[in-house]
Amino acid sequence: MNDDFLFSEDEPDIAEEEIAEPYHVLIVDDDEEIHTITKMALGEFKLDGRPLEFHSVYSGEDAIEFLQDHSDIAMMLLDVVMETDHAGLDVARWVRETRKNRLVRIVLRTGQPGQAPEEDVIARYDIDDYKEKTELTYRKLVTLMYSCLRAYRDLKSIERNKRGLEKVINASAEVFSARSMQGLCQGILEQLVALITLSDDAMYCRMDSLTASSNTNEPFEIIGGTGEYQDAAGQPVKTEIDWEIVRPMQQNSQNVDFRIVEGNYYGLYKTSSSRQYLLFIRGVRDLSELDQNLLGLFVNNSSIAIDNLQATENERQAQRELLYSVGEAIEKHSIDEISHHVKRSAEMAGQLVIFSGATHEQAEALKQAASVYDIGKVSVQMELAQRADALSIHDYEEIMQKVIQGHDYLNQTDSNVAKLAAVIAQDIHERWNGSGFPNQKSGTDIDFNARIMSITSHFDALRTQRNYRDAEESEDAADYLLQHSGKFFDPELVGLMLDNLDAMEKIRHRYLDKH
């Protein structure tokens, strides 16, 4: 049998113009002739259509230096005896133990078998084969290359799949830690495009199947985007999507379905809450079966996370509205009209604390606490509270004392929101310069949330119409904060408030009073 035909079934037809990535083989031997013979014998060798690329070094020391800069070596033909009688063994130990490289296939070759007995070397060193140079005929050398490179190929595939799985797990952990819908959707897309796409263009869309028909694309709304779609959140889906591809997926009984058409990924995920999530990614790379399964698992779990987060946000919103109603009921002791002063002050405080670097969770807690911290007003006589334009010192102290009593009431519960509200109630009337009430605290000794609430509450109160005075313009209310910056209010927070006055005014317009 001609050796040229050995293992020919493993060599697929490759077009001559295609250039496949070669397997890198390192020859480590102090005999130049060994390098020449090996390269000549294996010059035409291919596995899976991939040729060999040889690299030559002539000592163990040079091999270590070379391997420090090259991590893509598939196989190493390593002489045992070079500058020392055990130079090759030292290299093998360094690769496995110091470099922690378990992928490269190591074949020891020796011309002096008595120097390092085969049984002892195989037992002590993590190598793949041990050959005497005289026994390595062409046929045995080719057989050796096939067995070692196949093992390397399969180990690389396992390692690549392992890294892919780790990426998905890490991405899931990062994504699912998000506490806002926008943050969650953005996190999902950023992780996905990093995993599978050749571009940054991706969008995540949602449709409520209970209120929409699958015969139209109108109900789909973009809830997150990257690249070209980064600023498209909240908009209906109008472009890019081929609905002839999506509609059959909607009618499919499977909860998870996807198509890759002309390099674009369409994934449809249906949750138990009767919502449909459409993922569109433009320009995906070729996906293996494992990639496709992991992608489907990741995005399906992401859609469940979005549903759960939506339910949580709905619950938070309902809780917030209830607390705002309580707060407004408290506030009605001091004004005649139906006012959203409490809601506006709380929403502005939540926005201001985010501008200061706080998390959305911290902002949410502050907004809830801001709704009830003033509970002490309930015990203030209505007629006394309504005389806020002409109070005597005695009247003022009586009101303040009742308001401060709200701290003691709120502090009796184990709720984190109530405890935060209690701290705000205790410090809300303190002033930056120490002239406040009841403990004459100053500067940063005053609770941070109380300092924020003091600013947003004063600003909104000045901007709100009262039965005893007209509402001030935004510029005048801002001037009041600026004039009292460093006296009543934290100057840094005042600056932050004034820098973001447009955002605060948008909140005010969202919750206008009814007269």
Side-chain angles (χ1 to χ4, degrees):
M1 179 184 296
N2 192 323
D3 285 340
D4 291 340
F5 295 99
L6 283 176
F7 308 103
S8 60
E9 67 273 15
D10 288 311
E11 300 180 23
D13 294 333
I14 304 295
E16 290 184 0
E17 65 271 13
E18 292 184 3
I19 301 177
E21 174 66 24
Y23 287 104
H24 295 272
V25 177
L26 177 62
I27 305 174
V28 185
D29 202 299
D30 57 359
D31 187 345
E32 178 67 42
E33 187 176 355
I34 294 295
H35 292 260
T36 303
I37 292 174
T38 302
K39 293 176 183 178
M40 288 180 58
L42 299 173
E44 302 299 320
F45 180 92
K46 289 183 179 181
L47 175 65
D48 301 327
R50 297 174 60 181
L52 303 181
E53 181 172 327
F54 294 99
H55 307 271
S56 294
V57 295
Y58 299 90
S59 69
E61 184 178 342
D62 290 342
I64 290 175
E65 183 177 350
F66 180 89
L67 289 168
Q68 286 177 333
D69 298 326
H70 298 80
S71 59
D72 57 350
I73 301 300
M75 181 177 176
M76 181 162 51
L77 296 169
L78 178 60
D79 191 12
V80 175
V81 180
M82 290 178 285
E83 68 266 36
T84 66
D85 291 345
H86 48 77
L89 301 178
D90 293 340
V91 172
R93 181 185 293 110
W94 178 86
V95 168
R96 299 300 194 211
E97 297 179 4
T98 302
R99 193 66 173 175
K100 305 296 183 183
N101 187 337
R102 304 294 177 186
L103 296 180
V104 61
R105 302 298 87 197
I106 300 176
V107 177
L108 288 177
R109 297 195 294 186
T110 180
Q112 306 174 47
Q115 291 290 111
E118 180 177 351
E119 183 176 349
D120 182 57
V121 170
I122 292 291
R124 294 177 56 191
Y125 296 88
D126 182 7
I127 61 174
D128 297 277
D129 211 336
Y130 186 35
K131 300 290 187 182
E132 294 182 28
K133 294 180 180 179
T134 55
E135 69 173 308
L136 271 179
T137 63
Y138 168 73
R139 180 174 296 183
K140 288 185 176 180
L141 184 59
V142 169
T143 302
L144 179 68
M145 299 303 294
Y146 272 109
S147 62
C148 287
L149 291 178
R150 281 173 176 158
Y152 174 80
R153 175 196 63 192
D154 294 342
L155 286 172
K156 283 286 287 186
S157 178
I158 293 171
E159 182 69 17
R160 183 169 56 251
N161 292 339
K162 177 185 174 184
R163 287 198 304 268
L165 183 58
E166 288 175 347
K167 283 184 178 181
V168 169
I169 293 171
N170 292 334
S172 298
E174 182 175 335
V175 164
F176 298 155
S177 66
R179 291 296 182 267
S180 69
M181 183 64 69
Q182 183 178 359
L184 179 61
C185 296
Q186 195 71 21
I188 290 171
L189 290 176
E190 287 175 358
Q191 296 297 338
L192 285 178
V193 296
L195 288 172
I196 69 166
T197 188
L198 301 176
S199 72
D200 293 329
D201 300 330
M203 58 179 166
Y204 212 175
C205 317
R206 180 175 60 188
M207 182 184 78
D208 190 336
S209 298
L210 293 177
T211 59
S213 168
S214 61
N215 294 324
T216 174
N217 59 306
E218 287 302 319
F220 275 99
E221 175 187 348
I222 299 174
I223 56 176
T226 59
E228 182 181 323
Y229 312 107
Q230 184 163 356
D231 299 322
Q235 300 177 13
V237 179
K238 293 182 178 179
T239 59
E240 297 288 350
I241 301 297
D242 186 341
W243 297 103
E244 298 303 318
I245 297 172
V246 175
R247 289 192 187 100
M249 297 166 63
Q250 290 180 280
Q251 297 165 3
N252 194 328
S253 60
Q254 294 179 337
N255 291 332
V256 180
D257 196 6
F258 72 90
R259 304 278 191 277
I260 300 177
V261 181
E262 297 181 353
N264 296 327
Y265 179 93
Y266 297 83
L268 190 72
Y269 308 89
K270 305 170 187 176
T271 67
S272 58
S273 61
S274 299
R275 284 196 178 92
Q276 295 182 12
Y277 292 90
L278 176 65
L279 172 65
F280 174 80
I281 306 177
R282 186 163 59 190
V284 298
R285 61 173 173 78
D286 292 335
L287 301 180
S288 67
E289 184 177 354
L290 178 65
D291 290 334
Q292 294 172 12
N293 291 336
L294 290 176
L295 178 61
L297 179 63
F298 176 61
V299 183
N300 184 53
N301 289 345
S302 299
S303 63
I304 295 172
I306 290 176
D307 257 14
N308 292 339
L309 183 57
Q310 183 65 60
T312 301
E313 286 194 351
N314 292 342
E315 184 178 343
R316 284 179 177 174
Q317 180 64 27
Q319 184 181 35
R320 224 172 19 240
E321 290 298 325
L322 177 60
L323 290 173
Y324 286 157
S325 297
V326 173
E328 302 297 356
I330 295 170
E331 186 67 14
K332 284 179 184 178
H333 281 275
S334 26
I335 61 173
D336 292 331
E337 301 85 1
I338 297 175
S339 171
H340 292 303
H341 168 67
V342 172
K343 182 181 292 186
R344 289 193 299 265
S345 300
E347 290 288 334
M348 285 191 290
Q351 189 64 68
L352 185 56
V353 79
I354 287 176
F355 287 145
S356 73
T359 65
H360 285 277
E361 283 185 325
Q362 291 169 323
E364 181 66 28
L366 174 56
K367 286 191 284 187
Q368 293 188 21
S371 305
V372 294
Y373 81 89
D374 229 4
I375 197 170
K377 279 187 178 180
V378 171
S379 60
V380 180
Q381 295 179 359
M382 184 178 298
E383 64 272 14
L384 185 59
Q386 288 176 334
R387 291 171 48 207
D389 57 331
L391 295 176
S392 67
I393 295 298
H394 173 75
D395 294 335
Y396 176 79
E397 290 179 352
E398 183 178 346
I399 290 177
M400 288 299 102
Q401 192 59 46
K402 294 292 186 181
V403 171
I404 295 305
Q405 285 177 359
H407 164 270
D408 300 329
Y409 177 79
L410 290 164
N411 213 29
Q412 294 176 17
T413 72
D414 292 330
S415 165
N416 291 332
V417 170
K419 289 186 179 298
L420 178 57
V423 175
I424 294 174
Q426 181 74 26
D427 283 8
I428 187 69
H429 300 290
E430 301 287 0
R431 293 179 175 178
W432 185 259
N433 62 5
S435 62
F437 185 88
N439 298 313
Q440 290 75 53
K441 291 183 180 180
S442 63
T444 55
D445 288 340
I446 305 170
D447 177 72
F448 180 73
N449 290 300
R451 281 181 269 151
I452 284 183
M453 278 304 306
S454 177
I455 292 173
T456 60
S457 181
H458 272 85
F459 179 80
D460 189 74
L462 291 169
R463 293 282 289 118
T464 301
Q465 181 75 30
R466 292 290 191 251
N467 60 352
Y468 51 86
R469 63 163 175 79
D470 293 331
E472 295 190 16
E473 296 296 328
S474 179
E475 294 79 5
D476 296 328
D479 285 343
Y480 177 87
L481 295 180
L482 192 59
Q483 290 169 13
H484 293 86
S485 175
K487 298 176 183 177
F488 294 174
F489 310 118
D490 181 335
E492 185 174 342
L493 290 176
V494 168
L496 195 60
M497 177 80 174
L498 299 183
D499 287 342
N500 295 279
L501 212 56
D502 288 344
M504 301 304 170
E505 285 295 334
K506 287 180 181 179
I507 291 174
R508 293 199 76 261
H509 288 301
R510 203 155 58 230
Y511 305 108
L512 295 174
D513 289 339
K514 298 178 182 178
H515 297 284

